[in-house]
Amino acid sequence: MENREAENKEVNDNKIIVEMKNVKKSFNQNHVLKDVNFQLNRGENLVVLGKSGTGKSVLIKCIVKLIEIDSGSLMVFNKDTLTLKEKELNEIRAKIGFLFQSGALYDSMTVRENLEFPIRRRSKTVTQDELDSSVKEVLENVGLEDTIDKMPSELSGGMRKRISLARTLILKPELMLYDEPTTGLDPITSQEISELILEVQKKYKTTSIIITHDIKCAKITSNRIMVIDGGGFIAEGTYDELKASDNELVSSFFK
Amino acid sequence: MKKDLKQRADQKEKKNTIPISEQTNSSFASFKNVFIEVAMVSLFAVRYFKEMFKPPFEFKEFLKQCYLTGYRSLALVGITGFIMGLVLTIQSTPTMAEFGAEAWIPGMVAVSIIREIGPVITALICAGKVGSGIGAELGSMKVTEQIDSMEVSGANPFKYLVVTRIMATTLMIPVLVIFSDVISLYGSYVGVNLTDKVSFTLFFSKVFESLDFIDLIPAFIKTFFFGFIIGLIGCFKGYNSNKGTEGVGQAANSAVVIASLMVFIIDMIAVQITTLFS
């Protein structure tokens, strides 16, 4: 009986990738996250919707420990982020891909160097042939094979986002965190990026958190949507469920 | 109406006059900020020394930074060095001629350039060119989340960006100072030959006659400290810059101002130590 309970717990633990309980985060007097609770299950695409300045980006930066939480509990891959040592943190980060709002491509490096950078830092024994094939594979996946020797300044906004996505995919992450992937892009490119996110999830079998206020992106990519406001989640459901919500703020996103 | 105006003027005066207690508080706060800044720079320096000896070593990036700091500054340092030597000679020639001491010009110029002017002017030029460049580059990397991106991808951005740059400035600025000194002396040789005819061999034999180890060694050693502080301040300001383009500008600006000030402070300490031992 006890064995069975332990087995069930292990299955549940493996199913839950991120778990936040009563997470609080403030910057001086600005209380950004007041009481955040949520679970992210393996294989799902969770979209976090919210107005600007409601702490959406802070939320995912806490997951990779770019920002430390003030109190509460944050478990990532069953590890408590508050007690992680440097080595353990790096192991967890190796499983996470983070697509930054600005793309964050390294300006002084070519696309090839940008893509090779994380692999070279992660693996000391990687050969040039292996690097070349990995770079080629991810560039094919984002449809930009011919940009390999270009500098980031030569790329358009959409291309930069794609290359940025390729750079995170090259480490084959289990969890993808997208920080406003379609912000600043035209509607057509936004749709292409949203579809790419979905493709990536299917191909690499990733779990994702997508931070956005772009409702079209949310519609295409989400399995579940959570709406954040005033430092905590105020609504949760599928796209259709939230579209029918009575809450004024929630429904305002769908207008 | 007149009374009303007077009342308004009084109110305005009250607003403009800050009470002495508040003035004391604000100067105390700015003193406190200076001490906090000094403590933060010190911690940053301690972290640099810790990370410097930890593998993996970013050798390729270090070489790239040496190239950017050293090779890319050669022209600027060379031209200013040449002008420095030339002008110093032209300006001092009439005064020396009054005492019939033209023969001492090579020695005087050599001692002043090698001991003081060469290292300090080169360090100031590098604080402007290299320090501001590092501050602006790291500041913009911070603003555009490139540093965060490196951290998330498993690289150590401090090691890759900060350690390599500080090491490069520490090693390259002494090289640039030597280069600048040589060019300055050549500028001085050209300056002497504008009014007189002095052979190259005679000029440089006079230069070496007047120089001693006590002129060369301390002057050379302090340049490592100049290089270190320029890299350290540039990296500290850029790495900790506030968000936004304004923060990038401030990082570049304060990197130059503080590094230049530190160059003078280090120079003053170096002179005191040299005097003590000589």
Side-chain angles (χ1 to χ4, degrees):
Chain A
M1 186 70 180
E2 273 180 17
N3 280 347
R4 201 165 174 183
E5 272 177 17
E7 266 177 36
N8 283 341
K9 192 179 177 296
E10 201 180 316
V11 170
N12 274 337
D13 284 347
N14 283 333
K15 206 182 152 198
I16 298 165
I17 286 190
V18 180
E19 187 176 27
M20 278 191 177
K21 279 183 189 164
N22 311 111
V23 167
K24 292 185 176 70
K25 177 71 203 172
S26 304
F27 297 97
N28 298 323
Q29 294 305 308
N30 184 14
H31 307 293
V32 182
L33 303 177
K34 285 178 187 162
D35 187 19
V36 174
N37 297 283
F38 84 95
Q39 284 185 344
L40 177 72
N41 300 317
R42 191 174 287 276
E44 83 173 324
N45 267 4
L46 171 70
V47 167
V48 177
L49 267 182
K51 291 186 292 182
S52 299
T54 48
K56 303 188 296 292
S57 300
V58 172
L59 186 84
I60 53 169
K61 281 182 180 171
C62 288
I63 294 173
V64 283
K65 226 181 167 184
L66 280 175
I67 296 174
E68 288 219 27
I69 59 172
D70 294 338
S71 64
S73 143
L74 171 53
M75 305 287 285
V76 182
F77 292 106
N78 296 323
K79 296 259 170 75
D80 188 350
T81 56
L82 282 176
T83 56
L84 282 180
K85 288 182 181 144
E86 197 185 331
K87 201 180 163 195
E88 290 172 319
L89 178 64
N90 275 334
E91 280 167 13
I92 285 186
R93 280 177 174 171
K95 296 180 190 173
I96 303 175
F98 198 119
L99 182 74
F100 286 87
Q101 194 174 343
S102 57
L105 291 177
Y106 311 130
D107 292 332
S108 56
M109 300 181 200
T110 63
V111 168
R112 179 197 290 276
E113 287 165 340
N114 260 285
L115 297 175
E116 286 177 355
F117 186 87
I119 307 187
R120 283 188 190 278
R121 287 334 166 275
R122 288 261 173 231
S123 168
K124 295 289 148 205
T125 53
V126 68
T127 62
Q128 190 56 47
D129 287 344
E130 287 167 337
L131 275 175
D132 287 343
S133 71
S134 297
V135 168
K136 203 179 158 204
E137 186 197 328
V138 287
L139 279 178
E140 272 172 14
N141 286 337
V142 297
L144 287 172
E145 301 94 311
D146 51 345
T147 58
I148 192 158
D149 292 316
K150 287 192 173 169
M151 296 299 285
S153 56
E154 297 172 76
L155 306 174
S156 68
M159 286 160 104
R160 287 170 76 99
K161 280 268 160 77
R162 280 166 182 266
I163 297 295
S164 216
L165 183 56
R167 191 178 61 186
T168 55
L169 290 177
I170 207 157
L171 289 172
K172 305 214 166 23
E174 290 177 42
L175 169 64
M176 279 295 300
L177 305 172
Y178 298 92
D179 189 3
E180 309 217 5
T182 57
T183 298
L185 302 176
D186 62 88
I188 298 165
T189 316
S190 292
Q191 186 160 343
E192 283 173 4
I193 295 285
S194 305
E195 281 163 3
L196 190 61
I197 291 171
L198 212 58
E199 272 175 42
V200 162
Q201 195 221 2
K202 280 176 191 160
K203 187 162 183 180
Y204 291 84
K205 302 203 170 20
T206 56
T207 306
S208 312
I209 299 180
I210 301 143
I211 302 293
T212 189
H213 44 65
D214 175 0
I215 200 66
K216 279 184 185 165
C217 172
K219 187 182 180 184
I220 295 169
T221 56
S222 67
N223 301 127
R224 179 161 64 114
I225 299 175
M226 292 178 88
V227 183
I228 190 169
D229 192 56
F233 290 113
I234 56 160
E236 180 184 350
T238 62
Y239 178 85
D240 293 325
E241 283 167 358
L242 290 184
K243 197 177 176 184
S245 169
D246 296 334
N247 187 309
E248 206 175 306
L249 180 81
V250 176
S251 58
S252 67
F253 280 104
F254 294 84
K255 281 175 188 165
Chain B
M1 180 71 179
K2 212 173 178 182
K3 203 179 170 187
D4 194 36
L5 279 173
K6 201 183 173 218
Q7 263 183 352
R8 275 190 197 178
D10 283 348
Q11 274 176 0
K12 204 176 173 185
E13 200 176 313
K14 257 188 193 176
K15 266 188 190 174
N16 290 337
T17 322
I18 304 162
I20 292 170
S21 61
E22 276 181 35
Q23 278 181 24
T24 320
N25 280 346
S26 87
S27 30
F28 177 72
S30 48
F31 260 118
K32 197 175 144 191
N33 286 341
V34 170
F35 282 115
I36 290 171
E37 186 99 347
V38 170
M40 282 171 72
V41 174
S42 308
L43 286 175
F44 197 78
V46 169
R47 191 178 169 193
Y48 161 75
F49 285 114
K50 273 186 188 170
E51 299 275 1
M52 193 170 73
F53 299 106
K54 259 198 254 170
F57 302 106
E58 300 285 356
F59 195 66
K60 204 176 156 191
E61 180 64 13
F62 165 67
L63 285 182
K64 187 184 162 190
Q65 291 308 319
C66 284
Y67 167 79
L68 293 173
T69 309
Y71 182 75
R72 286 282 185 91
S73 306
L74 277 180
L76 182 66
V77 166
I79 292 166
T80 45
F82 182 82
I83 294 169
M84 211 160 61
L86 183 78
V87 170
L88 190 63
T89 309
I90 293 171
Q91 295 276 32
S92 53
T93 301
T95 317
M96 297 297 268
E98 267 184 42
F99 298 102
E102 292 101 320
W104 288 3
I105 291 175
M108 186 210 73
V109 170
V111 169
S112 51
I113 282 176
I114 285 170
R115 271 191 149 189
E116 203 52 47
I117 303 173
V120 171
I121 298 286
T122 310
L124 290 177
I125 290 166
C126 290
K129 186 184 179 289
V130 180
S132 68
I134 292 174
E137 188 188 9
L138 296 196
S140 66
M141 284 184 84
K142 176 95 176 174
V143 169
T144 54
E145 298 175 312
Q146 290 176 51
I147 292 180
D148 285 347
S149 170
M150 272 187 192
E151 203 168 332
V152 172
S153 70
N156 180 345
F158 193 91
K159 205 168 184 51
Y160 185 78
L161 299 170
V162 176
V163 173
T164 53
R165 278 163 177 77
I166 298 179
M167 276 174 72
T169 52
T170 310
L171 291 178
M172 283 299 110
I173 284 169
V175 176
L176 286 171
V177 169
I178 293 171
F179 177 72
S180 166
D181 287 350
V182 173
I183 300 280
S184 289
L185 291 177
Y186 183 73
S188 175
Y189 164 73
V190 173
V192 168
N193 275 282
L194 289 176
T195 48
D196 278 322
K197 264 213 168 233
V198 180
S199 75
F200 191 79
T201 324
L202 178 64
F203 180 86
F204 278 93
S205 65
K206 285 276 177 195
V207 164
F208 287 114
E209 254 174 39
S210 59
L211 289 175
D212 210 342
F213 267 114
I214 199 69
D215 300 314
L216 295 170
I217 302 298
F220 185 60
I221 291 171
K222 73 181 173 189
T223 58
F224 285 97
F225 289 95
F226 289 164
F228 173 74
I229 206 73
I230 290 167
L232 181 77
I233 300 293
C235 288
F236 174 77
K237 285 290 168 187
Y239 205 77
N240 295 302
S241 71
N242 295 320
K243 298 257 171 183
T245 44
E246 197 189 338
V248 178
Q250 277 174 359
N253 184 267
S254 49
V256 179
V257 174
I258 297 173
S260 305
L261 182 68
M262 287 307 295
V263 164
F264 284 114
I265 292 172
I266 291 171
D267 191 49
M268 187 184 70
I269 295 167
V271 168
Q272 295 297 320
I273 292 171
T274 315
T275 317
L276 203 73
F277 282 101
S278 61

